[in-house]
Amino acid sequence: MTAIASFAGRRILIGVCGGIAVYKLCEVVSQLVQAGAEVRVILTAGAERFIAPFSFSTLCRHPAYTDADFWSARHGRPLHIELGEWAEVMLIAPLTANTLAKLRYGQADNLLTNTVLATTAPLLLAPAMNTDMWLQPIVQENWQVLRSRPQTLGLEPGSGRLACDRVGSGRLPEPIAILAGLESLLWTQGQADLQGLKILVNAGGTREFLDPVRFIGNPSSGRMGVMLAIAAQHRGAQVQLIHAPLTNIEPGLLTSLDRQAVVSTEELAEAMIAATPIADWVLLAAAVGDVRPELRSHQKLSKAELPASLPLQLLPDIAAQLSQQRYPNQKLIGFAAQTGEILEPAIAKLQRKGLDAIIANAIDQPGQGFGSATNAAIALRPDGSSQPLGFRSKLSLAHAILDFVKNL
């Protein structure tokens, strides 16, 4: 899940609309509160038909608001003004076709829609509805207009079996994807500053097989590369993710990504070379193997058949290959996972491979190793200058890396 420190002390306002997917919002609120966020919840009249306000007030340790509160005289200032000014970021989910249409046209006939007009906070939209409703041309038109507005991030619904038994698009994004969207908005304030850029990211740890069940590999989970892809997508870039095997990555984080899966270093090299010509930025976050067994058996070797020594063969250097054939105005960013002294070997790698910059991190420090939810890094330029990027969640670190690359 998203690292806890990212939400500590942040003020998050959640608008809940009427739909069976409201149960997923309970998980979102629970995770935010456990992470130290201050959470307030507004329910529409439709949402109250699916879930009691008491459920959310229990989870967020604060009364949940309904239209009855909107029309009550017990508040000193108008409630929608107070809530709108209080919020640092606002989420509306599950966004229904009705509320989507109201937001597009600026209608304000309940507490939620009035609060949207009264806030300057960035807005995260997560729709959910029947597939045929979602695919209606007018709904799609409303969605495209609304998500293109400044300070607005729209999460595309997922696909699968819906509550109406229809199989198709319209599922509410998973809680982990909603949390990632909120974390991104807290960083970017809703600015789509990478819009128009094509960004290619690789991730994961490659595997070189000795036989069908044994391989030389590494413990990379691929989380840092996945977070780079998500952060870039949240900032408006067109993103392609090419990844070796991923481990312990929540499936809900991957559904919106354009991705291609590979296994070996050679497969990764082939895919990267094919995809690189159209990329403005290439972010090489994968943990790529350097060697493979010289011989590979297509059948499982018995213990008696295992060689006493294992001859190894060097594999192609993907970063160096891409650097040699780089395209005009293309930024090529490497990553160096190190133990012990990290700066010297990272600078040597940066210069040897002809990269525009390299992101170095120490995998032998607490909370910074493979598979962790957090990381810290130092960004290095070819002239030897550096920029510490700090210890934070991997999604926030991804945003810090993108800021650094943008300013190169």
Side-chain angles (χ1 to χ4, degrees), residues 86-107:
W86 174 86
E88 285 186 82
V89 66
M90 187 171 183
L91 161 70
I92 301 180
L95 178 62
T96 60
N98 183 45
T99 299
L100 173 59
K102 290 180 182 181
L103 295 179
R104 180 194 171 173
Y105 290 103
Q107 294 179 356

Side-chain angles (χ1 to χ4, degrees), residues 12 48 61 80 100 155 176 180 182 267 270 273 286 291 335 358 370 390:
I12 300 171
E48 290 185 79
R61 281 66 159 171
H80 62 294
L100 173 59
L155 301 180
I176 186 67
L182 288 170
E267 290 171 348
E270 183 179 338
I273 289 169
V291 295
F335 286 71
I358 198 164
F370 289 126

Side-chain angles (χ1 to χ4, degrees), residues 27-149:
E27 175 68 15
V28 171
V29 171
S30 177
Q31 289 287 333
L32 288 171
V33 172
Q34 289 180 52
E38 295 181 50
V39 181
R40 303 290 184 268
V41 176
I42 298 171
L43 290 89
T44 65
E48 290 185 79
R49 293 178 177 272
F50 287 90
I51 192 168
F54 183 71
S55 299
F56 285 111
S57 64
T58 301
L59 290 169
C60 68
R61 281 66 159 171
H62 192 279
Y65 299 105
T66 68
D67 285 348
D69 298 294
F70 184 40
W71 301 110
S72 171
R74 63 187 174 87
H75 295 281
R77 297 179 71 217
L79 180 58
H80 62 294
I81 304 297
E82 285 194 345
L83 290 173
E85 291 176 351
W86 174 86
E88 285 186 82
V89 66
M90 187 171 183
L91 161 70
I92 301 180
L95 178 62
T96 60
N98 183 45
T99 299
L100 173 59
K102 290 180 182 181
L103 295 179
R104 180 194 171 173
Y105 290 103
Q107 294 179 356
D109 63 352
N110 59 17
L111 176 57
L112 175 59
T113 51
N114 273 273
T115 304
V116 171
L117 293 185
T119 190
T120 59
L123 182 63
L124 179 65
L125 303 174
M129 63 193 75
N130 165 269
T131 302
D132 293 321
M133 295 174 67
W134 172 247
L135 295 178
Q136 283 291 334
I138 187 59
V139 173
Q140 286 299 303
E141 180 184 313
N142 290 344
W143 173 241
Q144 295 306 327
V145 169
L146 195 58
R147 70 185 303 211
S148 67
R149 289 181 180 171

